[in-house]
Structures are given as structure tokens and as C-alpha cells.
Amino acid sequence: MESDAVLHPYIDCNNKAIDMRYLHTFILVMLSITFQAQNFGEIKGKVLDAVTGEPVAFANVWVETGTVPIGAYTDDDGRFRIKPLSPGTYDLHVKDVRYTAYVQQGVVVSPNEITVLPEISLAANTLGEIKVVTYTIPLIDKDNPSKMTIGSADLKHRSDVRDTRTMISRLVPAVKQNAEGDQLFFKGARPYNIATFIDGVKVGAGEVPRIPSNAINNLTVYTGGIPACYGDVTGGVIVIETKGYMDFYRESQRRKRQRTQRID
């Protein structure tokens, strides 16, 4: 007589039967939840001819992720969209054999948001040349004036960056700090009516932890028009995205490229 281990389509583990089909389903569900929690963002823009102003179709546009590039081709209207991208800072590359290669450094991607770039103009191809520009984060979002974002490039130049609360109160007119310096008030709302999210994880109500400036990738403050993904918050929201390994790697590559350009 054959044993149950042969006849039964289950694996016996400590006398508990586990159907492999259920195990596979569980793994797929957990992976799905993990990817959803990443809060990916995206980059979109438009590429034009610098002389004629006409759209540049079929140009290759990509960002380096540190492992494999993620990119797209421009459509007939010169438009492109790159997604999904983990929150962070990227260098955007545009290449077409008819034009000079183009690099836009320091493009910031925020979670659950679309980074819309200014129109990119390509000049006629000059052998061996690369046009390098630096992306500037709009301090105020024109679609949501109650939102303010500051990136790592600006954070490192601030003298008050060691005190997150003080920095926010100085940056955002609608935010005030109490005399003790341990609480923030958004448009007069009580401190416990604000929420702080660090890499998508909500910390205690009203708490604004201190984080080293070189560890912050970007900081966003909402005093109104709060997206639904942050829950039922009546005061304001502080969103802090810290740097990951790939952010530090891309920074090192960017500095290396800048040194090479200065030598040349």
C-alpha cells in the first residue's frame, strides 16, 4: 500500500497539509500588495526641434535605474511617458541620430504623481557633444497651490535643515511653529490634525520626526487639496521620501559625469 505522501497532492509539513495551488495564489497576492505599496510615479514630456518647433517623433527617451534603463519612444506629437518609476531622482536621456544628445539631470519623481517636464528642444547633431541641463523643481504646483515641494539639491543648502519643523514653518506661509518648537499648526488647525508620511508609512498624529538632510530625497507639504490616498486629514500633510541605495548610486554617477565634463 502506497503512502499518503504519494497518493495525496499535498505536501505534509509538521502534519499539516498545504495545497501547492493555494501556496502559489498566496505568493501572487503578496507580490501584488508589495508592488501596490511602492507608490510608483512617472515622467511625461514633449520633445521638439529647436529650430522649427516641430515635434520629434521616435526619439529614444529613458532614465537609468541602476539595473536596467526604463524608457519609451516619442509618439507622432513628440510626447513620451515613462512609468512605473520608484520615487527618487533620475537623469533623463534623449537620443536621436538627427540631433545632439540631451540629458536632463535631477528629475524628481514623487509617489503617486506625474512629473511633467518643460518642453525639450533638440539642436542639430554635433558629433560628440551632449547638452546637459538641470531640472528645477517648481516650488509651487500650479495645479495645486496648496502644495509645496523641496528637493534634496535645495535641502543641502539650507541652514535650518537639521530641524524639520523649523524648516517647514519657514518655507510654508500657512504653517506656524509654537514657541517651544515642538509642534506645527497648519492654518490654525490643531497639531494632531496633521499627518506625516515617511516613504508611504504614516507616523503618529502630529509628529514630525527629524531626519538627516542627506537622507531626504524630497519633502512635500500639503496645506490644502490633500489627495485621498493620505486619508481623512483635516489639517495638513507632510510627505518625506528618503533616499534609497539607487538614489545614492545615481548621485555618484552624476558627480562622476560632471567631473568628466569639467576635465574635458
Side-chain angles (χ1 to χ4, degrees):
M1 183 174 179
E2 297 185 29
S3 66
D4 291 339
V6 175
L7 295 175
H8 208 285
Y10 292 81
I11 297 177
D12 194 302
C13 181
N14 296 328
N15 297 323
K16 294 181 180 179
I18 304 174
D19 192 332
M20 289 299 293
R21 292 172 299 176
Y22 292 119
L23 180 60
H24 291 160
T25 303
F26 174 76
I27 293 173
L28 290 174
V29 170
M30 293 305 297
L31 286 174
S32 175
I33 293 173
T34 301
F35 285 126
Q36 290 176 3
Q38 290 294 318
N39 296 321
F40 294 111
E42 61 181 271
I43 298 173
K44 63 182 294 187
K46 187 175 184 179
V47 181
L48 303 176
D49 185 296
V51 177
T52 65
E54 294 294 320
V56 177
F58 306 112
N60 189 10
V61 186
W62 76 94
V63 296
E64 298 286 353
T65 63
T67 51
V68 293
I70 299 178
Y73 287 98
T74 55
D75 61 17
D76 292 337
D77 296 321
R79 301 183 186 278
F80 66 88
R81 184 186 297 262
I82 302 176
K83 64 176 184 178
L85 295 173
S86 300
T89 304
Y90 298 86
D91 291 345
L92 181 88
H93 299 256
V94 183
K95 193 170 185 180
D96 187 294
V97 294
R98 299 166 292 176
Y99 299 94
T100 297
Y102 177 99
V103 178
Q104 186 160 174
Q105 297 179 336
V107 179
V108 176
V109 174
S110 300
N112 298 314
E113 293 188 10
I114 301 173
T115 299
V116 181
L117 300 180
E119 291 181 343
I120 297 172
S121 297
L122 299 184
N125 190 2
T126 303
L127 189 63
E129 287 193 6
I130 301 176
K131 181 179 179 180
V132 180
V133 300
T134 301
Y135 174 75
T136 302
I137 303 175
L139 191 59
I140 301 294
D141 188 339
K142 63 180 181 180
D143 296 324
N144 184 1
S146 299
K147 170 190 172 185
M148 182 176 289
T149 300
I150 181 169
S152 58
D154 296 318
L155 284 171
K156 67 181 181 181
H157 296 302
R158 296 191 61 87
S159 59
D160 54 6
V161 73
R162 294 183 181 276
D163 190 337
T164 312
R165 300 186 190 94
T166 301
M167 180 179 63
I168 292 173
S169 65
R170 291 177 178 175
L171 277 172
V172 187
V175 178
K176 303 300 179 185
Q177 190 177 25
N178 65 349
E180 291 76 17
D182 59 349
Q183 292 181 330
L184 293 178
F185 299 87
F186 280 57
K187 294 183 176 180
R190 297 182 182 277
Y192 56 76
N193 287 332
I194 71 172
T196 301
F197 291 82
I198 301 177
D199 294 333
V201 179
K202 185 178 181 180
V203 299
E207 294 185 17
V208 184
R210 294 183 179 182
I211 300 176
S213 60
N214 61 352
I216 299 177
N217 193 40
N218 63 76
L219 183 150
T220 302
V221 179
Y222 292 90
T223 57
I226 301 171
C229 62
Y230 296 119
D232 186 16
V233 182
T234 58
V237 170
I238 299 168
V239 182
I240 299 174
E241 290 294 327
T242 60
K243 294 178 181 178
Y245 168 78
M246 296 314 306
D247 291 298
F248 287 107
Y249 172 79
R250 286 189 289 267
E251 280 186 7
S252 67
Q253 294 297 104
R254 193 176 302 120
R255 288 194 295 268
K256 184 185 297 183
R257 184 164 53 247
Q258 290 171 345
R259 287 195 298 268
T260 302
Q261 292 169 353
R262 284 196 294 269
I263 294 173
D264 295 340

